[in-house]
Amino acid sequence: MTQDTAQTAAPQAPASDGANSRKVFVKTYGCQMNVYDSGRMTDALARDGYVPTEDMGEADLVLLNTCHIREKAAEKVYSALGRLRDMKKARNAQGREFMIGVAGCVAQAEGEEILRRAPAVDVVIGPQTYHRLPEALNKARSGARVVETDYAVEDKFEHLPVAEKAKIRARGVTAFLTVQEGCDKFCTFCVVPYTRGSEVSRPLSQILDEAKKLAEGGVRELTLLGQNVNAWHGKGPKGEELTLGDLLYALAEVPGIARLRYTTSHPRDMDDRLIAAHRDLRVLMPYLHLPVQSGSDRILKAMNRRHTAAEYLALIERIRAARPDIALSGDFIVGFPGESEQDFEDTMSLIRAVGYAQAFSFKYSIRPGTPGAEMDGHLSEEVKTDRLERLQALLLQQQKDFNESCIGREIEVLLEKPGRMEGQLIGRSPWLQSVNVDAKTSQIGDIIKVRITGTGPNSLFSEPITIQEG
């Protein structure tokens, strides 16, 4: 979820000026929302004549889609910009266009500061203004250095791309669908409320229209995205108040959509209707990413999480009662200011009590402008590193145990793409594991039953189950 990836996907289009098509390379840092946003940018650039490239060296435009969550995020961006500056000088000496853009959460947070510190940058653009990217680049070609980070909250979802069948088929049988952005929780370690803004929900009609177009284009699995996705709310056809659970019930009726997921959630927004959806909807996969961050009530209070460890554990019990086969994922931060060894042990105890199938863990790092940055009791890197290693060892063992518990089970797998070996496809289990199985390329998009035969470091191995006729 938080690994840096390079995302270079865009529909092909002829250059608008009749010349050879320009090429764009997009490097994506961070979360699934950023992966989705990179697609939005390349879609917007298609009308400006850009096609994708996976080779930065042949790009006419390089976009860094940044994340502010990772440690020293801004410093990593400036380091990358230093290398791009040298590339730009060499390209300009050859008389060729080479433009540099910074997008995403660092762009939203730093704004004009990026232009000051990195004179080679042409455009800085925030997550809510990607539809303005072609116009911003045109201004930059005229000699301006452009910052586009201001937006009207009421227009937040007005410029999301319309799903087109050709684009969808090129991107596969799974898709992200943004339903919510921003966060009002103001955890003391987090910059999201400052970079993504307050919680805003996408209208129900827009979500259903896009889901139907995605399904018509061959998408079988939708993952609903939001910084705090289970805070989604909207109005029904009769003006009734709806929550994420209601939205899932509505999406379950869209023909062609066989699987639904959502991420990322906050424990305080797991309401009864959402838990009921996990009980009632077989199309809703039995996998839930529900971050807790710490198992210490003292640290949870300092983090402004507004729930206790006991309340979180009680919530997990209710969810598991509704969906016994559900697998849990979470996020953990170690070394928050003032965290004692006992606080850390409380976190380890919570992890043992829950039993996670997967989890993400990080050392606390200062985010300028957040309350956590001003707190007393910051821990040394040595202490944070030691605790992270112990915590990750426990989480990795739990993940290994969960994967091994699948051996011998018969499960349904959505076939997504070719594997490394000929005659093999890679699919996804209901619990988001990667599964290798012998199958034909023509079966991509099918959901087949397999028997899990073994586990690897990053995937499961399986054999298809032959159904005897007659």
Side-chain angles (χ1 to χ4, degrees):
M1 173 180 174
T2 56
Q3 291 182 344
D4 298 346
T5 58
Q7 176 80 3
T8 54
Q12 293 196 1
S16 56
D17 57 6
N20 292 331
S21 296
R22 300 184 180 101
K23 294 184 178 180
V24 56
F25 178 91
V26 183
K27 182 169 179 63
T28 306
Y29 301 84
C31 67
Q32 290 172 318
M33 183 71 82
N34 269 17
V35 175
Y36 181 89
D37 285 346
S38 290
R40 290 172 57 193
M41 284 190 284
T42 52
D43 286 345
L45 287 168
R47 71 174 188 265
D48 210 32
Y50 282 95
V51 295
T53 178
E54 295 183 3
D55 182 357
M56 186 186 293
E58 68 177 20
D60 304 288
L61 167 65
V62 173
L63 289 171
L64 303 182
N65 189 8
T66 62
C67 174
H68 220 308
I69 299 299
R70 295 293 293 269
E71 185 176 6
K72 300 179 181 177
E75 287 83 350
K76 291 180 181 179
V77 171
Y78 289 118
S79 177
L81 289 174
R83 294 188 293 272
L84 289 173
R85 174 197 60 206
D86 297 337
M87 189 180 293
K88 185 173 186 176
K89 285 181 181 178
R91 199 69 65 83
N92 289 344
Q94 300 169 359
R96 294 175 58 192
E97 178 179 280
F98 187 78
M99 304 186 77
I100 302 170
V102 180
C105 291
V106 173
Q108 189 72 35
E110 301 274 331
E112 296 279 354
E113 178 68 6
I114 293 175
L115 297 187
R116 188 186 70 79
R117 290 183 57 180
V121 172
D122 300 288
V123 172
V124 177
I125 192 157
Q128 317 307 330
T129 51
Y130 293 147
H131 58 286
R132 300 182 203 156
L133 185 54
E135 290 76 14
L137 290 171
N138 286 333
K139 290 179 185 176
R141 290 190 188 97
S142 301
R145 300 179 73 214
V146 183
V147 175
E148 283 278 9
T149 55
D150 294 333
Y151 65 94
V153 171
E154 58 271 18
D155 295 335
K156 201 162 190 176
F157 296 107
E158 288 300 314
H159 303 282
L160 291 180
V162 175
E164 297 176 16
K165 290 182 183 179
K167 296 179 189 175
I168 298 162
R169 290 197 182 102
R171 291 181 182 170
V173 297
T174 66
F176 296 135
L177 200 169
T178 292
V179 302
Q180 183 271 343
E181 285 198 18
C183 185
D184 294 341
K185 299 299 185 288
F186 287 93
C187 298
T188 57
F189 54 81
C190 187
V191 296
V192 166
Y194 311 102
T195 58
R196 291 278 184 168
S198 59
E199 292 175 355
V200 180
S201 296
R202 192 175 181 187
L204 175 67
S205 59
Q206 281 189 21
I207 296 169
L208 291 177
D209 286 347
E210 183 166 354
K212 290 171 185 176
K213 289 183 174 67
L214 289 166
E216 290 167 1
V219 169
R220 305 297 313 279
E221 177 178 297
L222 285 180
T223 299
L224 310 185
L225 292 183
Q227 271 78 38
N228 189 23
V229 69
N230 58 346
W232 183 89
H233 62 277
K235 295 284 187 182
K238 300 177 182 178
E240 68 273 28
E241 291 291 332
L242 304 178
T243 61
L244 183 65
D246 299 300
L247 175 60
L248 289 165
Y249 280 98
L251 287 168
E253 299 299 321
V254 174
I257 298 301
R259 290 182 163 190
L260 292 170
R261 303 182 189 273
Y262 61 92
T263 193
T264 290
S265 304
H266 194 288
R268 293 184 61 244
D269 290 313
M270 286 295 302
D271 61 17
D272 292 342
R273 183 66 167 165
L274 184 51
I275 294 173
H278 280 281
R279 179 195 65 208
D280 298 338
L281 301 176
R282 294 300 96 183
V283 70
L284 180 56
M285 291 296 95
Y287 178 88
L288 175 62
H289 184 66
L290 191 64
V292 63
Q293 309 298 355
S294 174
S296 162
D297 288 347
R298 193 174 69 85
I299 297 301
L300 287 170
K301 184 176 181 180
M303 290 177 166
N304 194 38
R305 294 290 291 175
R306 291 183 282 181
H307 63 77
T308 65
E311 288 168 343
Y312 179 85
L313 291 172
L315 177 60
I316 296 298
E317 283 189 20
R318 291 177 57 211
I319 295 167
R320 281 183 164 152
R323 190 72 181 262
D325 63 338
I326 201 161
L328 276 299
S329 172
D331 290 346
F332 295 91
I333 294 173
V334 302
F336 189 80
E339 182 188 70
S340 67
E341 182 64 23
Q342 183 58 56
D343 293 322
F344 174 71
E345 286 299 331
D346 289 343
T347 298
M348 297 287 276
S349 294
L350 182 142
I351 292 170
R352 294 186 189 99
V354 172
Y356 288 92
Q358 187 179 20
F360 305 93
S361 52
F362 314 90
K363 291 187 290 186
Y364 172 78
S365 58
I366 292 174
R367 294 293 177 267
T370 62
E374 307 300 322
M375 289 181 177
D376 296 329
H378 286 268
L379 278 63
S380 69
E381 285 301 308
E382 291 77 11
V383 169
K384 289 191 284 188
T385 298
D386 172 69
R387 290 179 183 173
L388 183 63
E389 288 175 353
R390 285 187 278 158
L391 180 135
Q392 287 183 338
L394 175 58
L395 290 171
L396 285 172
Q397 184 60 52
Q398 290 191 344
Q399 181 175 346
K400 183 173 182 252
D401 292 344
F402 179 77
N403 288 342
E404 290 180 349
S405 75
C406 295
I407 295 175
R409 296 181 68 174
E410 296 181 1
I411 67 171
E412 290 187 338
V413 170
L414 171 61
L415 300 176
E416 293 187 12
K417 58 186 178 181
R420 291 183 179 180
M421 299 176 62
E422 188 175 350
Q424 187 181 80
L425 296 183
I426 297 174
R428 290 285 176 184
S429 78
W431 306 288
L432 209 59
Q433 300 141 305
S434 181
V435 181
N436 299 283
V437 62
D438 291 338
K440 299 176 182 178
T441 303
S442 60
Q443 292 178 273
I444 289 175
D446 291 349
I447 296 175
I448 67 169
K449 184 168 280 191
V450 304
R451 182 180 293 107
I452 303 302
T453 58
T455 68
N458 301 303
S459 63
L460 303 180
F461 300 98
S462 71
E463 58 185 13
I465 295 175
T466 301
I467 299 175
Q468 300 292 335
E469 295 185 2

